[in-house]
């Protein structure tokens, strides 16, 4: 088994926790630098992605040079993993667990800039679809303005649908009131994103109905749903909890430099 296959094997031991490195390895394997450290029964992984490869990073971290993703089976491997980091480089660390951040911070001068929560379902949960929430496996141009309000480009959305995405939406006549997208993050993990409700439909529980239906269809297809939200977005966190999703992973972003305002 080659190094890339081994890295993917280790990351897939916990796909929900490692959805970000798995997604980046899948989408950007041509430009990502990957390192695997093995010490007896333990292993460590370091991934370095050019910061301009992914549109989100390019927009949020314009002064970054590399995005750092890590995982390891034991902190004993961490010093050897960190030796692979490039020197004199603006780095954004995306780290999945608080304990691992503390270990990394002990070795590096890092400061936290944001945190994302990933919500998902549990094996015993059951979700019912809403009768008025429509599933569509083709891109509906009427929904584009709502999705684009969440900073998704038309090109991104077209790519998602070409890769099997679907939307769930509630309409009033031909007018969309609330919508979301469900798209592949990785082989098993599918993202419920681009949740948006038009002004005319707000404060009436439509987003909850749309997201609950999206979770139902995701599970029906045999995938694990993931609903990601920044920790400052209290309304979206409450939406996830009201649907019945539970917090599964915290992903924190740490920098080794000061990001200047745009």
């Amino acid at each position: 088994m080659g190094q890339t296959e081994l890295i993917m094997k280790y990351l897939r031991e916990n796909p929900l926790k490692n959805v970000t490195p798995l997604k980046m390895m899948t989408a950007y394997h041509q430009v990502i630098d990957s390192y695997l450290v093995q010490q007896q029964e333990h292993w460590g992984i370091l991934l370095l992605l050019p910061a301009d490869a992914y549109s989100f990073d390019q927009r949020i971290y314009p002064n970054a040079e590399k995005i750092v993703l890590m995982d390891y089976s034991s902190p004993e491997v961490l010093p050897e993993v960190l030796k692979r980091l490039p020197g004199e480089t603006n780095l954004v660390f995306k780290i999945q667990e608080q304990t691992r951040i503390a270990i990394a911070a002990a070795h590096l001068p890092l400061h936290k800039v944001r945190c994302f929560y990933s919500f998902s379902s549990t094996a015993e949960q059951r979700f019912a679809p809403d009768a008025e929430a429509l599933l569509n496996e083709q891109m509906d141009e009427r929904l584009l303005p709502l999705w684009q309000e969440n900073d998704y480009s038309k090109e991104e959305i077209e790519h998602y649908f070409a890769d099997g995405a679907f939307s769930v939406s509630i309409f009033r006549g031909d007018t969309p009131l609330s919508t979301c997208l469900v798209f592949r993050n990785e082989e098993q993990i599918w993202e419920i994103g681009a949740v948006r409700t038009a002004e005319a439909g707000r404060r009436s529980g439509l987003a909850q109905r749309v997201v609950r239906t999206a979770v139902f269809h995701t599970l029906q297809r045999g995938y694990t749903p993931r609903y990601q939200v920044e920790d400052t977005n209290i309304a979206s966190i409450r939406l996830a909890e009201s649907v019945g999703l539970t917090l599964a992973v915290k992903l924190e972003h740490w920098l080794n430099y000061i990001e200047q305002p745009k």
Side-chain angles (χ1 to χ4, degrees):
M1 187 179 292
Q3 176 176 290
T4 299
E5 289 76 16
L6 268 175
I7 288 173
M8 296 296 280
K9 173 182 177 292
Y10 289 138
L11 292 175
R12 282 181 174 145
E13 289 177 1
N14 195 333
L16 189 57
K17 176 178 75 71
N18 286 320
V19 63
T20 299
L22 283 167
K23 177 181 178 179
M24 296 304 149
M25 280 289 287
T26 301
Y28 302 105
H29 58 89
Q30 305 95 328
V31 296
I32 203 166
D33 293 325
S34 58
Y35 302 91
L36 175 62
V37 174
Q38 293 183 292
Q39 295 179 347
Q40 297 177 345
E41 73 273 20
H42 295 304
W43 53 265
I45 293 166
L46 175 69
L47 306 178
L48 298 173
L49 177 71
D52 60 0
Y54 184 40
S55 59
F56 173 87
D57 296 323
Q58 196 173 30
R59 184 175 71 252
I60 301 299
Y61 303 116
N63 298 310
E65 297 170 75
K66 295 285 186 180
I67 308 300
V68 181
L69 303 160
M70 294 189 297
D71 194 25
Y72 45 86
S73 61
S74 168
E76 296 174 12
V77 187
L78 184 60
E80 195 63 31
V81 171
L82 296 179
K83 288 180 183 179
R84 274 69 175 175
L85 289 172
E88 303 298 320
T89 305
N90 287 354
L91 303 173
V92 178
F93 289 76
K94 298 183 179 181
I95 310 179
Q96 302 96 319
E97 294 181 7
Q98 185 67 39
T99 54
R100 296 174 185 234
I101 293 164
I103 295 168
H107 293 79
L108 299 161
L110 304 178
H111 64 279
K112 178 182 166 184
V113 290
R114 51 182 45 86
C115 175
F116 294 90
Y117 293 164
S118 287
F119 290 84
S120 190
S121 59
T122 58
E124 65 276 6
Q125 284 182 293
R126 298 293 180 268
F127 296 84
D130 188 278
E132 291 187 289
L134 304 177
L135 181 146
N136 194 341
E137 296 179 337
Q138 305 297 321
M139 188 175 74
D140 189 331
E141 295 279 347
R142 295 173 297 175
L143 299 168
L144 266 178
L146 289 176
W147 295 332
Q148 289 173 324
E149 286 181 22
N150 283 13
D151 292 326
Y152 289 84
S153 69
K154 184 177 181 180
E155 292 71 27
E156 280 181 285
I157 294 166
E158 287 174 338
H159 170 76
Y160 291 145
F161 276 101
D163 194 35
F166 61 91
S167 65
V168 176
S169 311
I170 292 177
F171 288 80
R172 179 185 295 156
D174 288 332
T175 302
L177 293 182
S178 190
T179 185
C180 71
L181 283 172
V182 184
F183 53 89
R184 184 195 308 271
N185 254 336
E186 200 272 328
E187 186 176 290
Q188 181 62 27
I189 312 299
W190 282 60
E191 182 89 7
I192 299 173
V195 181
R196 198 75 179 183
T197 300
E199 184 64 39
R202 290 178 186 168
R203 292 171 291 279
S204 55
L206 293 181
Q208 182 191 73
R209 293 162 59 188
V210 162
V211 171
R212 185 177 69 246
T213 303
V215 173
F216 168 82
H217 287 294
T218 303
L219 292 170
Q220 284 288 103
R221 296 172 182 220
Y223 302 133
T224 301
R226 179 205 189 207
Y227 180 100
Q228 180 172 274
V229 56
E230 194 162 358
D231 65 347
T232 56
N233 192 341
I234 303 304
S236 191
I237 291 172
R238 288 175 178 165
L239 170 59
E241 293 172 340
S242 72
V243 169
L245 300 176
T246 55
L247 180 61
V249 181
K250 292 182 182 180
L251 180 73
E252 297 191 346
H253 292 192
W254 293 66
L255 309 185
N256 71 339
Y257 69 99
I258 303 300
E259 184 68 69
Q260 299 299 322
K262 297 179 188 178

